[in-house]
């Protein structure tokens, strides 16, 4: 690898990291503002114009607060747990293509940090690592509520990962590749070539599973305030709590980006061939990716303030008895269709 | 004879739940665009409706005579005994003989029931719409005659919050 | 050069965490360091350009199996106690002997051939998904099916054990 290539990769990593952190901040603001709007309130509007500096004020508050480590916690794991949760959440974005190829310094640069040839599996593997953060946080807190929250969350993540993976398999079958770039390329063109049209069932299962994977309402049983105080982060304060907070939003961003990539054509702008337009095409593709992602992030918040929480047995029933069989049938039908068309 | 009421059997369309979910999302979306009812308190203030029972005032006649004749009906009616009146002979020439030398209300005790207002035969004591008069010390919430008259000056011909002329002063 | 440095770094992490798993008496710490060990192994697979295997290592071992292990440890509350009994004197000397024999064997192989210290890792295409799938469904079809049958039996057995009244 030459020096320029190395610099380019570093720049891409920095840009994506900064963008993710910025989006996390924007999301925290958006969450509060949108929830307020849906409840007939105004929401934070004091810090800065329209309150947009509110997340920064919150961040400063988190930094200034006393970092309490309760006496009877398991200290090393208690400190490690937020990091275990946050790092995979930030890492997952590495394989998501967020724009068409850009030509700079006489070389073609894909707008994606790493074009891993097992991209989807990489994401699924990393999201399954996030469970450790929650489970270990719950256990090390030495608190019944935290432990229950952690265990619930772990069971939930394992259950829904299956449905999610099976929904993704039908997409993999269509694209014939585990590379996210190939999956995006497979969906180029019109609206009808997007996977959401080809695989509506898989899309619905995937969407529901992402809500469970990110521990968002209606599946936020691991931090159900009414039953478990705060769940796994009951004992956390200050910056460690902020890390849990950031991890939740980072996971949301990844989930939204993944939904867009898998089902809504990624950075594809319908009816336009981005490659023939040069820089304008690149810009259009990035903007379309951001807009699609923003919609799904809005949907996350929208759903949170609309639906009540599931009961735990309902959650398990939905995951194992409804979504898993439907996903299997969907795979069967997709594979059958593909093999029949291959024969003909 | 018992009648059998068949409960609603969900159809297949109901059981896939997606239409219901979309319906729910639409409800919140409608609220998203609705007018917000929050009042930005220190900047804009809630305007209490007619008949609101807030801070007291002592009314005056146009010729500056206090309407109160120190009959102590209000302090007798007061359920928490927060009104203290010291009567004295009126310094004005003419009709009424008594007037309050001192007229103190303990606002920390007052429950703003409005009984004093109802008991008053002279319509001298009245509750205004002022509601934000909190303070830091107990002493500052003991309001005397001068204070009550000041409140009258503030509210005699306009609503304290809306700055709109009240009906009485217009007529 | 860089790659071999990276290899020694990751390998030392893998070995260190594996030793920690055995030596630590707190079950949770052991489990967590085992996860670390799996991660180090996954990175080693990555260095061999076996991406699929690396991801599967994380996905299955770290992501699924160890979570269940943690689950069990936490629910049984083994974590804080020094629950494991000290080994008997006989067992200790016996296990020491076995380990010595094992290491002796490894050293014998290591120094028996000169090539093994600098292994010629050939760029093989076995790490790809395509070739793996093809191999599984043609050449190794029978073992594959037997393994899946075994898993199915295990699944049914679990359901039977967990739910005696069906």
């Amino acid at each position: 690898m030459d020096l320029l290539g190395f610099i380019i990769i570093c720049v891409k990593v920095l840009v994506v990291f900064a963008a993710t952190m910025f989006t996390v901040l924007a999301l925290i603001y958006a969450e509060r503002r949108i929830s307020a709007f849906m409840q007939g309130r105004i929401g934070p509007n004091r810090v800065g114009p329209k309150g947009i500096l509110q997340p920064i004020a919150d961040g400063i508050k988190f930094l200034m607060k006393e970092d309490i480590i309760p006496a009877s916690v398991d200290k090393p794991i208690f400190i490690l747990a937020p990091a275990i949760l946050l790092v995979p959440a930030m890492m997952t974005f590495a394989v998501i293509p967020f724009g068409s190829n850009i030509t700079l310094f006489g070389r073609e640069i894909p707008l994606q940090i790493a074009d891993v040839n097992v991209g989807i599996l990489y994401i699924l593997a990393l999201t399954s690592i996030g469970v450790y953060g929650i489970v270990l946080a719950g256990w090390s807190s030495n608190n019944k509520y935290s432990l229950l929250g952690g265990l619930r969350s772990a069971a939930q993540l394992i259950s829904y990962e299956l449905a999610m993976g099976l929904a993704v398999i039908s997409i993999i079958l269509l694209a014939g590749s585990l590379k996210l770039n190939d999956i995006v390329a497979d969906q180029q063109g019109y609206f009808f070539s997007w996977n959401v049209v080809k695989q509506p069932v898989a899309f619905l299962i995937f969407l529901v599973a992402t809500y469970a994977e990110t521990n968002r309402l209606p599946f936020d049983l691991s931090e159900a305030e009414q039953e478990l105080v705060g769940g796994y982060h009951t004992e956390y304060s200050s910056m460690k709590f902020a890390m849990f907070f950031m991890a939740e939003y980072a996971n949301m961003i990844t989930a939204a980006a993944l939904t867009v990539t898998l089902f809504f054509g990624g950075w594809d702008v319908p009816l336009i061939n981005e490659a023939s337009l040069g820089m304008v095409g690149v810009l259009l593709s990035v903007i379309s990716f951001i807009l699609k992602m923003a919609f799904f992030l809005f949907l996350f918040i929208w759903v949170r303030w609309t639906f009540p929480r599931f009961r735990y047995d309902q959650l398990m029933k939905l995951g194992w008895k409804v979504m898993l069989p439907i996903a299997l049938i969907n795979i069967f039908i997709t594979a059958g269709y593909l093999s029949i068309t291959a024969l003909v | 004879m018992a009648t059998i009421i068949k409960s609603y059997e969900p159809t297949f369309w109901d059981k896939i739940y997606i239409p219901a979910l979309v319906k729910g999302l639409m409800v919140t979306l409608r609220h998203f665009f609705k007018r917000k009812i929050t009042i930005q308190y220190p900047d804009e203030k809630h305007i209490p409706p007619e008949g609101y029972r807030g801070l007291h005032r002592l009314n005056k006649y146009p010729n500056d005579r206090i309407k109160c004749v120190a009959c102590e009906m209000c302090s007798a009616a007061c359920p928490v005994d927060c009104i203290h009146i010291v009567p004295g002979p009126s310094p004005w020439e003419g009709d009424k003989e008594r007037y309050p030398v001192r007229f103190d209300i303990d606002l920390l005790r007052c429950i703003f029931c409005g009984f004093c207002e109802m008991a008053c035969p002279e319509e001298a004591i009245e509750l205004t719409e002022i509601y934000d008069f909190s303070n830091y010390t107990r002493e500052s919430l003991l309001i005397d005659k001068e204070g009550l008259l000041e409140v009258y000056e503030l509210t005699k011909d306009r609503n304290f919050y809306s700055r709109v002329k009240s009906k009485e002063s217009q007529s | 050069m860089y790659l071999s440095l990276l290899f020694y770094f990751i390998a030392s992490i893998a070995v260190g965490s594996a030793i920690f798993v055995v030596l630590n008496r707190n079950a949770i710490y052991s489990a967590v360091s085992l996860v670390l060990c799996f991660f180090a192994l996954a990175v080693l697979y990555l260095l061999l350009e076996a991406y699929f295997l690396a991801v599967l290592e994380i996905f299955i071992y770290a992501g699924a199996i160890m979570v269940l292990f943690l689950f069990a440890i936490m629910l049984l509350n083994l974590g804080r106690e020094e629950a494991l009994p000290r080994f008997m004197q006989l067992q200790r000397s016996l296990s020491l002997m076995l380990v010595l024999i094992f290491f002796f064997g490894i050293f014998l192989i290591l120094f028996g051939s000169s090539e093994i210290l600098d292994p010629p890792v050939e760029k093989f295409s076995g790490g790809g998904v395509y070739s793996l799938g093809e191999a599984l469904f043609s050449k190794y079809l029978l073992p594959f099916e037997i393994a899946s049958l075994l898993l199915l039996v295990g699944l049914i057995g679990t359901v039977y054990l967990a739910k005696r009244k069906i």
Side-chain angles (χ1 to χ4, degrees):
Chain A
M1 191 191 298
D2 59 330
L3 190 66
L4 191 59
F6 185 70
I7 290 171
I8 286 170
I9 283 185
C10 286
V11 168
K12 278 199 286 193
V13 169
L14 275 180
V15 166
V16 168
F17 182 72
T20 318
M21 289 311 278
F22 176 76
T23 320
V24 166
L25 287 183
L27 260 183
I28 292 171
Y29 172 70
E31 171 105 55
R32 296 183 59 179
R33 214 42 193 187
I34 291 170
S35 71
F37 272 35
M38 285 177 177
Q39 296 164 354
R41 299 184 285 117
I42 294 173
N45 64 346
R46 292 279 138 178
V47 193
K50 292 269 168 199
I52 49 171
L53 297 180
Q54 184 68 42
I56 294 169
D58 287 349
I60 293 171
K61 187 198 77 176
F62 272 131
L63 279 172
M64 305 299 242
K65 275 194 149 182
E66 187 191 351
D67 194 1
I68 299 167
I69 298 179
S72 59
V73 301
D74 195 301
K75 216 170 166 190
I77 290 185
F78 187 79
I79 293 169
L80 196 64
I84 295 179
L85 189 63
L86 184 58
V87 169
M90 300 305 265
M91 272 168 75
T92 16
F93 213 91
V95 295
I96 290 172
F98 52 91
S100 62
N101 290 0
I102 188 171
T103 316
L104 272 184
F105 314 116
R107 63 164 70 194
E108 203 160 301
I109 304 163
L111 286 184
Q112 178 187 24
I113 292 174
D115 192 8
V116 184
N117 64 5
V118 284
I120 285 186
L121 288 179
Y122 169 84
I123 289 175
L124 289 179
L126 277 185
T127 48
S128 66
I129 291 307
V131 193
Y132 282 107
I134 295 174
V135 173
L136 290 176
W139 176 80
S140 66
S141 296
N142 197 13
N143 169 334
K144 288 188 191 78
Y145 293 122
S146 297
L147 182 63
L148 273 176
L151 291 180
R152 272 185 181 194
S153 157
Q156 176 183 330
L157 288 187
I158 292 171
S159 311
Y160 277 78
E161 216 162 62
L162 287 172
M164 192 179 185
L166 289 176
V168 167
I169 282 180
S170 53
I171 301 300
I172 297 171
L173 281 175
L174 282 184
S177 170
L178 293 171
K179 255 189 189 176
L180 288 171
N181 256 344
D182 294 349
I183 291 169
V184 171
D186 188 53
Q187 301 177 64
Q188 291 282 349
Y190 304 94
F191 284 110
F192 295 112
S193 56
W194 287 0
N195 278 333
V196 64
V197 181
K198 293 184 199 161
Q199 289 283 351
V201 179
F203 167 65
L204 282 175
I205 291 170
F206 185 84
L207 195 69
V208 174
T210 50
Y211 284 77
E213 289 283 301
T214 47
N215 275 326
R216 293 280 298 184
L217 252 141
F219 302 108
D220 70 333
L221 285 121
S222 56
E223 43 189 301
E225 292 87 353
Q226 291 84 352
E227 313 157 22
L228 295 178
V229 193
Y232 56 88
H233 54 54
T234 306
E235 303 290 349
Y236 282 88
S237 54
S238 178
M239 214 47 211
K240 294 203 189 71
F241 176 77
M243 278 167 90
F244 279 120
F245 211 63
M246 272 152 56
E248 181 186 333
Y249 286 98
N251 272 328
M252 268 167 72
I253 293 167
T254 316
L258 197 59
T259 317
V260 169
T261 310
L262 292 181
F263 292 96
F264 284 81
W267 41 262
D268 173 44
V269 187
L271 308 177
I272 287 177
N273 184 7
E274 290 86 0
S276 63
L277 285 173
M279 279 306 272
V280 183
V282 173
L283 207 64
L284 271 179
S285 68
V286 173
I287 288 172
S288 96
F289 183 79
I290 290 172
L291 283 181
K292 287 174 195 169
M293 217 173 89
F295 172 75
F296 280 99
L297 290 173
F298 178 73
L299 192 68
F300 262 111
I301 298 169
W302 188 7
V303 163
R304 171 169 181 185
W305 298 103
T306 303
F307 300 127
R309 186 181 299 130
F310 272 76
R311 216 170 53 214
Y312 195 64
D313 60 317
Q314 290 172 331
L315 173 92
M316 284 296 157
K317 206 172 153 189
L318 180 71
W320 289 101
K321 291 189 178 172
V322 180
M323 283 176 31
L324 194 69
I326 291 178
L328 280 174
I329 292 168
N330 190 45
I331 290 174
F332 184 74
I333 292 171
T334 312
Y337 173 77
L338 284 177
S339 52
I340 286 169
T341 46
L343 280 180
V344 170
Chain B
M1 212 183 91
T3 51
I4 297 164
I5 299 167
K6 265 201 168 175
S7 61
Y8 174 69
E9 276 291 317
T11 58
F12 175 74
W13 191 243
D14 291 331
K15 273 184 184 162
I16 57 174
Y17 290 111
I18 289 153
L21 293 180
V22 172
K23 221 181 197 174
L25 285 173
M26 283 305 140
V27 170
T28 37
L29 192 65
R30 217 161 42 237
H31 279 273
F32 185 80
F33 292 112
K34 261 189 186 166
R35 202 176 58 84
K36 307 296 169 273
I37 56 169
T38 307
I39 292 165
Q40 296 282 306
Y41 167 64
D43 298 344
E44 46 178 308
K45 288 185 174 173
H46 170 63
I47 299 164
E50 201 81 357
Y52 184 85
R53 299 199 299 265
L55 189 61
H56 317 68
R57 75 179 190 195
L58 271 180
N59 291 342
K60 285 191 213 169
Y61 287 114
N63 63 358
D64 263 13
R65 195 224 187 277
I66 300 177
K67 280 187 179 178
C68 178
V69 293
C71 63
E72 299 187 43
M73 296 275 265
C74 49
S75 68
C78 185
V80 288
D81 284 340
C82 69
I83 305 177
H84 306 287
I85 302 172
V86 177
S90 161
W92 291 283
E93 294 286 312
D95 50 2
K96 285 157 186 171
E97 291 149 29
R98 285 156 62 99
Y99 98 116
V101 179
R102 291 177 59 97
F103 195 110
D104 300 334
I105 297 177
D106 187 348
L107 291 174
L108 288 171
R109 276 191 155 202
C110 180
I111 58 169
F112 300 96
C113 61
F115 282 7
C116 48
E117 196 178 20
M118 272 188 261
C120 186
E122 298 284 329
E123 297 195 347
I125 189 165
E126 232 173 44
L127 298 185
T128 63
E129 65 278 358
I130 300 176
Y131 53 80
D132 49 350
F133 47 89
S134 52
N135 218 318
Y136 291 102
T137 56
R138 284 159 194 269
E139 291 71 39
S140 56
L141 283 166
L142 292 171
I143 189 164
D144 58 0
K145 190 173 75 177
E146 278 65 43
L148 289 164
L149 291 171
E150 229 170 83
V151 176
Y152 173 69
E153 293 301 327
L154 282 174
T155 58
K156 66 180 174 185
D157 46 20
R158 62 203 164 94
N159 185 304
F160 182 71
Y161 296 109
S162 67
R163 314 277 176 220
V164 175
K165 297 232 169 194
S166 67
K167 279 180 206 157
E168 289 157 42
S169 63
Q170 280 167 348
S171 58
Chain C
M1 173 59 196
Y2 290 119
L3 281 183
S4 62
L5 260 181
L6 195 62
F7 168 79
Y8 285 118
F9 178 62
I10 299 294
S12 59
I13 287 180
V15 173
S17 58
I19 291 173
F20 194 75
V21 172
V22 183
L23 291 184
N24 204 287
R25 298 188 68 80
N26 188 331
I28 294 270
Y29 284 27
S30 294
V32 172
S33 47
L34 190 56
V35 174
L36 184 64
C37 183
F38 285 145
F39 259 90
L41 286 184
V43 177
L44 289 185
Y45 285 137
L46 280 184
L47 289 178
L48 293 175
E49 301 197 356
Y51 302 111
F52 188 61
L53 214 55
V55 169
L56 280 193
E57 173 86 17
I58 295 176
F59 203 16
I60 296 172
Y61 285 100
I65 292 178
M66 281 316 291
V67 171
L68 288 179
F69 262 69
L70 266 185
F71 235 76
I73 294 169
M74 284 174 188
L75 285 181
L76 295 176
N77 210 7
L78 286 175
R80 279 165 220 283
E81 294 161 28
E82 306 269 304
L84 308 165
R86 294 255 165 216
F87 287 113
M88 307 300 280
Q89 209 60 41
L90 179 70
Q91 280 170 324
R92 193 184 279 182
S93 51
L94 210 69
S95 56
L96 197 69
M97 243 169 65
L98 281 174
V99 167
L100 279 179
I101 290 169
F102 180 67
F103 270 97
F104 185 70
I106 289 178
F107 272 103
L108 218 62
I109 297 168
L110 268 181
F111 295 108
S113 69
S114 57
E115 275 183 17
I116 214 114
L117 268 181
D118 190 22
V121 178
E122 282 174 37
K123 295 267 168 69
F124 71 116
S125 58
V129 188
Y130 276 114
S131 43
L132 198 72
E134 250 178 47
L136 274 183
F137 284 104
S138 57
K139 198 175 168 191
Y140 301 108
L141 186 61
L142 190 66
F144 180 76
E145 290 298 335
I146 289 174
S148 57
L149 196 68
L150 196 67
L151 284 175
L152 185 67
V153 170
L155 204 70
I156 294 170
T158 320
V159 171
Y160 179 73
L161 283 177
K163 216 173 182 181
R164 290 207 172 256
K165 278 178 269 178
I166 296 175

